[in-house]
Amino acid sequence: MPTAVPHRPAELPGGRPGAVRTGRSFPLPRGTGRTAARIAALTVCQGALMVGFGLLITGPARGLWPMTVEDDVNEGFEHARTGTLTTLSLLGSEAGNTLTVIAVTVLACAGLILLPRLPMWRQAAFLSVAVALQSLVFLVITESVDRHRPEVHRLDASPPTSSYTSGHTGAATALYGGLAVLALSRLRGPWRRIVGALLLLVPVLVAVARLYRGMHHPTDVVGGLVNGSLSLLIVGRALFTDGTVTAPAEARPTPSFASAGTSPGAPGPGRTAVIFNPTVTGEADREALREVLEGHGHRAPVFIETTAEDPGTGQTAGAVRDGAQLVVVCGGDGTLRAAANALADSGVPMAVVPCGTGNLLARNLGLPLSPTDALDAALSGAPHRLDLGRIEGDGLTATHFAAMSGAGLDAEIMEQTDDRAKSVLGWPAYVLAGIGTLRTPRMRLTVRLDDAPALRRTARMVLIGNVGTVQGGTTLLPAARPDDGRLDLLILDPRGVGGWIRALATLLRGGAHTPRPSALDTVTTRDDDGSGVPVEFFTFRRARLTFDSTQSRELDGDPVAPGRRLTAEVRPGALTVLLPAGGA
């Protein structure tokens, strides 16, 4: 009979027995070390910048405005003191006190880890690290910059630190500003902006309280606001945008049809197919959507998940071939675009269920942003024929887009925004990514619209839209309509700070002062040579854009291969979408 071989401990190099691992290990997420090094390097730069400003205002610039009028500001607050204001200022000052900041940070991080169904480790790390780094930089500043406190009666005991910067204000900015970022990205409904605005107001109130109580000069509290904001920006970009830190492979569950209660098969005749992106549509979401469908008489809907290799085109085409009479698409704009590409001219209606970050098509169609509410509204409505944009170019196979496509600045932002950042922060992740892309080089291009003569332009960004409104209600293409048989073009070319201000003012006005063009008209806010206001609007049926150099490009929020050409034309009424009364 076989002889049992006794177990021997593993040997280390040199014949030494090694320890046998028992139990389960918990590896740190990949990229933690690299991200920590990046945060550390940027924090050193932050400290150097803040110290430099401190030495400037206490040295060469102390005789310049506004430093010369700071004493007047402090004396004005001193003369305005009343019993009620003094009590209120004490409350404001305490909101940025060290013990208060520590207590609120600990409670908030504990809540982020313990209360949600899945612990929000990344959000807790964002908040705690930002607060800690702000404090570290504050200590370095106070040791490096010696500034006396204002020569007024101070209502608090003077701590043995420099007046520059305001530690209360900096800590409040990092803490309550961080909470505001999390509230704006995680909360839903009308309270989201109210809660975010109130949290952002707290650091300002702390700054005013510190001035009122005679503890700091105005530039000290401004320095505190900047210090806290820089800490939030550094940590936020590192954890949410750069995408260096990723979960260990074994920690990522692989979605399966069995666990989701779905079938990999295609729907039979008369069946309803639900195409869903598993990264943004969880099992609970699918069950809730199933209940809505069955409540509207759609029995036994078949759920088919997308993959990284095929984001929805193949699954949708297969469902149509097998006789699906309704296709429900659950995902972001990329998933909707892939499904719309397969549904073009098929006549099979699509129900849009927004589950992604941008959800531009759903926003412009007037659908609720809650997945179940959107599906219920769509199933209660009627089919509408909407346009699609057909686009192709060098290295880009002909396909369709439903919302927007572009090149330049917007495509750079899409490339720089990490998927994990979008899942954690929502659309504010694009804002964080956009900070690093504002210096995208200006491009030169030739624009040919329908049968009109070619135009030569320079631009930071070109945007082709079937719809006009983006997140936050900002209208980039005021004349764009998804059912007017045309596409619209924005050419953005601001120059300098003044140009950016004028461009933003034009865009924020939206369609209020922009005339509605007729079918083949071109609407522009500049002269034909491209000079003047740095924003141009055009409307067209077919456009050919040729860039002098290779540019980043995107389709409905997804980066595609860079190139030098884009040809876009409208496909009127190519997509049938279920919409509630008043939609589109």
Side-chain angles (χ1 to χ4, degrees):
M1 55 185 299
T3 303
V5 179
H7 174 73
R8 297 180 60 188
E11 289 187 348
L12 296 176
R16 293 180 289 116
V20 179
R21 291 186 178 181
T22 60
R24 185 177 178 181
S25 62
F26 296 92
L28 288 173
R30 291 194 299 269
T32 299
R34 189 184 309 171
T35 298
R38 180 179 296 136
I39 291 175
L42 291 175
T43 302
V44 170
C45 296
Q46 173 187 347
L49 178 67
M50 297 303 301
V51 168
F53 276 125
L55 296 177
L56 180 66
I57 64 178
T58 58
R62 63 187 175 192
L64 302 177
W65 188 92
M67 274 64 72
T68 54
V69 299
E70 287 193 300
D71 290 340
D72 297 336
V73 174
N74 289 114
E75 291 171 0
F77 274 107
E78 182 182 29
H79 294 152
R81 289 173 184 170
T82 66
T84 301
L85 291 178
T86 298
T87 302
L88 292 175
S89 73
L90 177 61
L91 296 176
S93 181
E94 287 300 309
N97 189 33
T98 301
L99 293 179
T100 304
V101 169
I102 293 175
V104 174
T105 303
V106 171
L107 289 174
C109 292
L112 289 168
I113 295 171
L114 299 176
L115 295 181
R117 185 165 56 91
L118 294 177
M120 296 184 180
W121 292 103
R122 195 181 292 256
Q123 289 88 339
F126 161 68
L127 189 64
S128 58
V129 173
V131 172
L133 287 185
Q134 180 282 144
S135 300
L136 179 62
V137 173
F138 164 73
L139 292 176
V140 172
I141 295 171
T142 57
E143 289 295 323
S144 305
V145 180
D146 184 18
R147 190 180 199 191
H148 297 295
R149 296 189 181 273
E151 297 297 330
V152 296
H153 175 65
R154 294 188 284 274
L155 299 179
D156 297 326
S158 299
T161 54
S162 171
S163 180
Y164 176 88
T165 60
S166 171
H168 283 63
T169 306
T173 302
L175 172 58
Y176 301 106
L179 289 173
V181 170
L182 298 180
L184 290 170
S185 62
R186 306 305 300 181
L187 297 181
R188 294 293 182 265
W191 284 99
R192 179 174 65 93
R193 293 180 180 175
I194 296 175
V195 172
L198 291 176
L199 287 169
L200 290 174
L201 184 61
V202 175
V204 178
L205 295 178
V206 172
V208 173
R210 300 303 286 172
L211 290 174
Y212 177 91
R213 301 182 71 82
M215 301 307 297
H216 294 285
H217 306 278
T219 49
D220 300 334
V221 297
V222 171
L225 292 169
V226 172
N227 189 35
S229 299
L230 287 176
S231 293
L232 286 175
L233 179 60
I234 290 171
V235 180
R237 280 185 61 86
L239 292 182
F240 296 144
T241 303
D242 292 344
T244 305
V245 178
T246 60
E250 60 269 23
R252 295 177 185 167
T254 302
S256 65
F257 286 105
S259 64
T262 61
S263 168
R271 300 283 293 279
T272 298
V274 181
I275 311 298
F276 70 93
N277 182 341
T279 64
V280 295
T281 311
E283 182 176 355
D285 298 320
R286 298 195 289 272
E287 288 305 316
L289 295 174
R290 186 191 304 276
E291 292 181 6
V292 174
L293 284 166
E294 292 181 349
H296 283 269
H298 296 267
R299 306 296 179 186
V302 177
F303 285 71
I304 309 172
E305 69 178 40
T306 64
T307 64
E309 294 75 23
D310 188 344
T313 300
Q315 295 88 339
T316 304
V320 172
R321 283 196 305 269
D322 290 330
Q325 295 184 3
L326 171 64
V327 176
V328 179
V329 184
C330 314
D333 288 309
T335 306
L336 293 173
R337 184 199 66 79
N341 188 50
L343 289 173
D345 294 322
S346 69
V348 177
M350 177 173 73
V352 176
V353 178
C355 296
T357 304
N359 300 319
L360 293 186
L361 184 60
R363 293 173 190 271
N364 283 270
L365 295 180
L367 289 169
L369 295 184
S370 164
T372 52
D373 291 346
L375 180 58
D376 181 67
L379 297 177
S380 301
H384 286 69
R385 305 281 293 199
L386 302 182
D387 305 333
L388 286 176
R390 184 182 183 276
I391 195 162
E392 60 183 320
D394 52 324
L396 178 62
T397 304
T399 185
H400 294 87
F401 67 93
M404 295 179 178
S405 175
L409 179 62
D410 68 318
E412 288 279 352
I413 293 175
M414 302 306 172
E415 289 181 357
Q416 296 298 322
T417 305
D418 182 68
D419 289 339
R420 285 171 295 277
K422 292 191 289 184
S423 66
V424 172
L425 288 179
W427 67 263
Y430 294 120
V431 179
L432 284 175
I435 294 174
T437 62
L438 291 178
R439 297 185 65 84
T440 299
R442 181 174 283 104
M443 54 187 169
R444 297 181 179 274
L445 71 154
T446 301
V447 182
R448 293 179 174 86
L449 302 177
D450 297 324
D451 297 324
L455 302 174
R456 284 291 293 173
R457 289 294 186 267
T458 60
R460 296 284 187 185
M461 177 181 82
V462 292
L463 189 66
I464 302 170
N466 189 37
V467 296
T469 301
V470 295
Q471 295 89 347
T474 303
T475 300
L476 297 183
L477 293 162
R481 303 290 185 274
D483 57 357
D484 62 357
R486 289 169 291 165
L487 297 175
D488 289 74
L489 173 67
L490 162 69
I491 299 180
L492 182 67
D493 189 27
R495 297 171 183 268
V497 176
W500 278 105
I501 294 174
R502 295 163 68 195
L504 290 174
T506 301
L507 296 176
L508 290 176
R509 284 199 303 268
H513 304 289
T514 303
R516 174 76 172 140
S518 58
L520 295 177
D521 285 343
T522 294
V523 173
T524 176
T525 59
R526 313 203 308 187
D527 299 328
D528 288 341
D529 62 357
S531 63
V533 177
V535 179
E536 282 184 290
F537 301 106
F538 300 92
T539 183
F540 63 91
R541 298 186 186 278
R542 178 180 173 85
R544 288 161 291 173
L545 309 180
T546 304
F547 306 100
D548 289 4
S549 59
T550 301
Q551 300 296 325
S552 298
R553 301 180 293 188
E554 59 91 7
L555 295 179
D556 280 343
D558 288 338
V560 294
R564 297 182 57 184
R565 288 186 288 106
L566 282 177
T567 299
E569 62 179 330
V570 67
R571 297 287 303 278
L575 183 66
T576 302
V577 179
L578 293 181
L579 294 178

